[in-house]
Amino acid sequence: MLSKMIADLDARHFVHPWESMEDLGTGGRMVAQRASGIHVTEGDGRPRIDGPGGMWCVQVGYGRAEIGEAMAYQAQEMAYFSPFSSTSPVSARLAAVIAQRTPGDLNRVFFTTGGSTAVDTALRFVQFRNNLLGRAGKKIFITRQKAYHGSTYLSASVSGKERDRNWFDHADALVHFLPDVNPYRRPAGTSVEAFLEAKLADLENAILSLGADRVAAFIAEPILASGGVIVPPEGYHRRCLEICRRHDVLYIADEVVTGFGRLGHWFASEAVFGMVPDIITSAKGLTSGYAPLGACIISERLFDDISGAASQGAVFSNGFTYSGHPVSAAAALKNIEIIEREGILEHVRTLTPHFQERLAALGALPLVGDTRGMGLMGCVECVADRDAKEPLALDKAVGDLIDAHCRKLGLIVRPLLNMCVFSPPLIISHDEVDQMFDILEQGIRLTTDDLVRQGVRVA
Ligand SMILES: Cc1ncc(COP(=O)(O)O)c(C=O)c1O
């Protein structure tokens, strides 16, 4: 009853992210009411495993009273004062705590309100720096198809999920897209090694043809998350960085999803991919979703030639009322303390082989074309024909069909067209990983039966 009332209010008034205009006002979203550990409870009172971890972010799980208490204490002590004119003990400490965990000399932290604003800040900083260095023509950002970097004008402009670009305007003159880096979609007969060389050539050729004096930065997620958990071939990021260095192009690693433990490390760039970028953007797992916060973390070196005596009086006029908000900073500090105290990074590293084995085993199901992932991130991609790798004619709905079956069985899935992506809370146990994949397997089998019944597939 209550959830029916909430659903009605929601349908009338709450415009959600990625709102379908066709379905506006028709409602139908789940009403998430309570959550604890790795489970979210909907209006029907039944706890279900949270497969997507909220939105790739609930690292330490739900219902952590000590995070709530840290936030409540900070709200009473000093909820807010202007970050333009002051600092606060929690936000200054958090900046230092982040800098201690970043690779190389990425020691300067600009706080934002989330991932999009962290990416926007990174891009604006790169432009600002080039203007100060007298390189006003060096402004193009190279990015990749299937990337997702956010929903502000500039972060959306460097995002490359085709369907999301429909009906919007973008800063097209500033952006160049490289083709898909998904090894699963490589041309037939091409080895992964040859595919890697081709992808590296895509980057270097783009820089050469646009002109290195016009290219400012390359931006890349270590693993393309909402593009379908695309893991590029081994060595890709390290060698992309070498190409960038050769042409004086900055490398921005968008670790909004991979940061804060998803791959078993504070940041993945150096620990997993063996490279130290110039800028890292982060958000989500920084507070485990308990409060909105993002961070754009910049190499000291990038400030050296534009600050102090070299500054020409310039001001980096970029900022938000809530940059480094004390209540969010208190949540982040407590979240980091919990990750450390409970050994959550080690737990992720220990659990990863089992998670990835269970994920890979789903590849035996006839509906599944590819399974891929790393750390506690995974994706199942369904296809009509495994040899031709054709997406299903019903590709819009197959993830939804799997989700509907899994929900009945006790698991929330994040459907993305013909894919389902997973990033459960990092505290998930070995047995809970088994429960999650048992349900998913059953959900895929039931969906296959549905498709056979509808005549979309033969058994
Ligand atoms: C890699 C990446 N960058 C940026 C963003 C944008 O973050 P936010 O939604 O916090 O603005 C996201 C969101 O999913 C993301 O996955």
Side-chain angles (χ1 to χ4, degrees):
M1 196 58 206
L2 175 67
S3 57
K4 165 87 178 77
M5 192 186 86
I6 297 296
D8 287 348
L9 293 177
D10 179 81
R12 279 190 66 77
H13 301 294
F14 185 171
V15 181
H16 288 263
W18 266 247
E19 186 74 70
S20 153
M21 291 300 107
E22 196 178 355
D23 301 332
L24 183 71
T26 57
R29 282 190 169 77
M30 73 182 260
V31 180
Q33 294 194 340
R34 286 189 310 283
S36 170
I38 66 159
H39 295 97
V40 174
T41 302
E42 298 177 47
D44 61 3
R46 180 170 174 198
R48 293 180 174 84
I49 297 177
D50 176 10
M55 190 81 183
W56 320 92
C57 58
V58 186
Q59 320 296 66
V60 300
Y62 296 96
R64 294 279 193 168
E66 57 184 313
I67 301 186
E69 282 154 15
M71 292 170 69
Y73 174 82
Q74 187 58 45
Q76 293 169 69
E77 183 76 2
M78 204 253 337
Y80 175 78
F81 195 71
S82 164
F84 291 67
S85 61
S86 71
T87 189
S88 79
V90 272
S91 0
R93 268 185 35 235
L94 179 62
V97 163
I98 292 173
Q100 281 156 14
R101 285 159 181 76
T102 48
D105 72 341
L106 277 82
N107 292 329
R108 301 244 177 234
V109 181
F110 189 101
F111 285 118
T112 67
T113 52
S116 306
T117 45
V119 168
D120 216 83
T121 295
L123 301 173
R124 295 195 76 208
F125 176 78
V126 168
Q127 293 177 327
F128 168 79
R129 183 171 183 276
N130 279 346
N131 287 339
L132 264 162
L133 294 177
R135 314 194 301 193
K138 198 167 165 67
K139 289 288 168 57
I140 296 175
F141 301 116
I142 296 184
T143 180
R144 301 172 302 166
Q145 286 175 6
K146 307 269 186 235
Y148 181 67
H149 295 293
S151 273
T152 60
Y153 190 69
L154 206 46
S155 63
S157 294
V158 294
S159 295
K161 291 170 68 183
E162 319 81 78
R163 291 175 206 237
D164 297 346
R165 294 180 69 83
N166 292 337
W167 311 107
F168 281 92
D169 296 323
H170 296 99
D172 292 328
L174 291 177
V175 181
H176 179 87
F177 283 95
L178 302 179
D180 197 353
V181 294
N182 188 352
Y184 176 61
R185 296 269 164 214
R186 69 188 186 276
T190 307
S191 67
V192 174
E193 292 72 23
F195 183 66
L196 167 63
E197 297 306 323
K199 296 297 103 183
L200 296 167
D202 285 344
L203 172 60
E204 189 145 29
N205 291 337
I207 297 174
L208 291 172
S209 65
L210 293 161
D213 56 339
R214 294 179 58 224
V215 179
F218 173 55
I219 180 164
E221 295 158 83
I223 294 177
L224 292 114
S226 42
V229 188
I230 298 170
V231 184
E234 165 79 35
Y236 172 81
H237 292 294
R238 197 173 22 77
R239 292 188 54 200
C240 282
L241 179 68
E242 285 166 14
I243 293 170
C244 288
R245 289 275 179 270
R246 266 205 295 282
H247 298 286
D248 190 19
V249 168
L250 296 179
Y251 194 120
I252 303 168
D254 184 355
E255 293 225 36
V256 165
V257 168
T258 54
F260 290 91
R262 182 62 47 202
L263 304 189
H265 300 273
W266 292 114
F267 294 97
S269 291
E270 186 179 36
V272 180
F273 298 102
M275 48 85 75
V276 179
D278 299 295
I279 298 178
I280 289 180
T281 49
S282 176
K284 297 193 186 271
L286 174 56
T287 62
S288 277
Y290 280 75
L293 186 66
C296 169
I297 312 154
I298 303 172
S299 154
E300 298 254 24
R301 181 176 42 83
L302 298 191
F303 281 99
D304 287 349
D305 46 8
I306 58 160
S307 59
S311 72
Q312 305 165 55
V315 172
F316 183 49
S317 312
N318 179 76
F320 310 97
T321 300
Y322 298 136
S323 287
H325 194 288
V327 177
S328 299
L333 283 171
K334 190 52 80 178
N335 175 54
I336 292 168
E337 184 191 313
I338 292 172
I339 293 177
E340 219 143 46
R341 190 179 70 222
E342 296 186 2
I344 291 176
L345 301 180
E346 295 77 8
H347 171 71
V348 171
R349 296 202 291 270
T350 307
L351 196 55
T352 289
H354 181 60
F355 181 94
Q356 293 297 336
E357 263 163 38
R358 290 291 322 249
L359 174 70
L362 296 175
L365 299 174
L367 190 60
V368 175
D370 191 32
T371 61
R372 50 186 179 258
M374 203 181 244
L376 297 192
M377 274 175 98
C379 172
V380 175
E381 178 165 353
C382 299
V383 289
D385 174 335
R386 279 152 60 111
D387 296 325
K389 301 181 181 176
E390 254 173 62
L392 281 158
L394 259 189
D395 80 343
K396 273 193 193 162
V398 76
D400 290 335
L401 291 175
I402 295 171
D403 183 40
H405 282 299
C406 288
R407 291 273 279 280
K408 285 188 199 131
L409 298 165
L411 169 69
I412 300 167
V413 168
R414 177 157 178 226
L416 275 177
L417 307 170
N418 62 328
M419 298 177 278
C420 299
V421 296
F422 289 89
S423 54
L426 303 180
I427 52 161
I428 191 169
S429 70
H430 190 279
D431 286 352
E432 289 165 338
V433 166
D434 282 337
Q435 269 175 42
M436 189 180 107
F437 282 111
D438 288 348
I439 295 177
L440 181 58
E441 178 174 343
Q442 214 183 331
I444 297 173
R445 287 187 191 282
L446 290 168
T447 302
T448 312
D449 295 346
D450 291 343
L451 297 177
V452 171
R453 259 196 308 277
Q454 291 165 19
V456 176
R457 277 185 71 87
V458 282

